[in-house]
Amino acid sequence: MSNISELELQNLRHLIGGYDTTHCKMKEYAQAAQDSQVKQFFEKGAQSAMQNKQQLMKFLG
């Protein structure tokens, strides 16, 4: 893998942090949801955010 610039590293850090925040919020929303469809919607959103975060983390390894 080629080296990434400092700006690219900062952008990755920002995106990873955003997906981490989204994951945590979606999990909380899912836990608080009363409706099963709403709960499922937020659970899927949390899972998607975690997958995106993990994909971006690969650029750091």
Side-chain angles (χ1 to χ4, degrees):
M1 174 176 28
S2 63
N3 293 334
I4 60 174
S5 70
E6 185 175 339
L7 179 60
E8 290 168 326
L9 182 60
Q10 289 173 353
N11 286 338
L12 275 173
R13 190 183 77 201
H14 177 75
L15 289 169
I16 289 167
Y19 281 123
D20 191 47
T21 300
T22 300
H23 173 255
C24 291
K25 286 184 177 186
M26 293 281 190
K27 276 180 37 178
E28 288 289 322
Y29 298 154
Q31 290 174 356
Q34 301 296 316
D35 183 273
S36 63
Q37 287 181 324
V38 172
K39 183 179 192 77
Q40 184 180 23
F41 173 82
F42 285 122
E43 287 172 344
K44 285 183 180 180
Q47 181 181 10
S48 177
M50 180 56 71
Q51 289 170 346
N52 290 336
K53 177 187 170 186
Q54 290 170 344
Q55 284 290 101
L56 289 173
M57 295 284 285
K58 291 179 183 179
F59 288 102
L60 301 177

